Amino acid sequence: MPVKTVAEFVSAYREKDVSPEAFELENPYLLEVRLNGSVWAKSGAMVARTGQVKFTRQGLMEQGLGNLLKKAVSGEGMVLMKMEGQGRVYLADTGKKITLLRLDNETIFANGNDVLALETGVSNQITMMKRVAGMMSGGLFNVKLSGSGIVAITSHYDPLILKVSAATGPVFTDPNATVAWSGGLSPEIATDISFKTLMGRGSGESIQMKFEGEGWVVVQPYEETYMQASSGG
């Protein structure tokens, strides 16, 4: 890579306003939110800001008691902060790639750890897999995103979308590599001892997500380890 002058460096990486949307990608890993009101974002995701912006951790009234109980059981869940005011906020999550999706009175499901930001027209509700076996893996506690507005989701590297249909049969995924799926799908938990070494599990049954029906599922080429979400702002 050739050496840049300071002026060339500033010109190459300066902020670029090319979209009228409230959400704009400055690069594949950095999201700019033009704030004029309020937006929900992953707690701790802010890397810079300008203007008058107030940050408030998501409280009981916004989460609902059911969401709080599910977070307590799962040990991870999705911790959001409300950004209010006027200004610009820049968000990132450990260098993960960001994808912007526009929901038009639609529903999708996503791994809570992979939700970076959402407009207030999109509601969020934590969901759990049907079988108790799902409690063995944090990746099996997900979030239902419904309504109209823009959602920013993240993935390690480029995601892959797999089509799910009755004609091709079920699709099985590793929970820790599963990013999102279409709202019409209701995945179940499947276990298979024979896959424990292939799926990176050293002992016990491997836990997989089984998708059947009509829709799509997003996976990433990375098995994410889930930890208690940060409480930072």
Side-chain angles (χ1 to χ4, degrees), residues 137-183:
S137 175
L140 299 180
F141 293 83
N142 305 286
V143 58
K144 179 180 180 181
L145 302 169
S146 301
S148 296
I150 300 176
V151 175
I153 63 174
T154 60
S155 62
H156 287 275
Y157 313 106
D158 289 333
L160 172 67
I161 296 180
L162 300 173
K163 182 179 179 180
V164 181
S165 70
T168 57
V171 172
F172 296 86
T173 66
D174 185 323
N176 294 334
T178 305
V179 175
W181 60 91
S182 53

Side-chain angles (χ1 to χ4, degrees), residues 49-209:
R49 71 174 176 89
T50 64
Q52 300 298 315
V53 182
K54 177 184 177 182
F55 298 90
T56 307
R57 184 185 174 94
Q58 187 181 36
L60 176 61
M61 295 303 293
E62 292 92 354
Q63 295 181 80
L65 182 58
N67 270 3
L68 286 177
L69 291 175
K70 290 170 186 175
K71 285 182 180 181
V73 172
S74 69
E76 48 104 17
M78 179 178 64
V79 179
L80 296 176
M81 59 182 178
K82 180 182 284 187
M83 308 186 302
E84 299 176 279
Q86 291 186 324
R88 300 192 180 202
V89 183
Y90 302 87
L91 305 172
D93 186 5
T94 62
K96 293 166 67 176
K97 187 166 186 175
I98 303 169
T99 300
L100 300 180
L101 301 176
R102 185 188 303 278
L103 301 186
D104 184 10
N105 196 27
E106 296 172 282
T107 295
I108 65 170
F109 291 86
N111 191 305
N113 199 49
D114 297 324
V115 177
L116 180 63
L118 54 142
E119 293 187 306
T120 53
V122 179
S123 66
N124 67 91
Q125 178 184 4
I126 293 178
T127 62
M128 300 169 70
M129 298 294 98
K130 295 178 181 178
R131 287 177 51 181
V132 176
M135 296 172 65
M136 296 171 62
S137 175
L140 299 180
F141 293 83
N142 305 286
V143 58
K144 179 180 180 181
L145 302 169
S146 301
S148 296
I150 300 176
V151 175
I153 63 174
T154 60
S155 62
H156 287 275
Y157 313 106
D158 289 333
L160 172 67
I161 296 180
L162 300 173
K163 182 179 179 180
V164 181
S165 70
T168 57
V171 172
F172 296 86
T173 66
D174 185 323
N176 294 334
T178 305
V179 175
W181 60 91
S182 53
L185 298 180
S186 297
E188 296 183 353
I189 301 305
T191 58
D192 192 328
I193 297 175
S194 66
F195 277 111
K196 66 182 179 181
T197 54
L198 297 178
M199 301 287 283
R201 307 288 185 250
S203 61
E205 297 177 319
S206 77
I207 300 173
Q208 303 154 46
M209 298 176 75

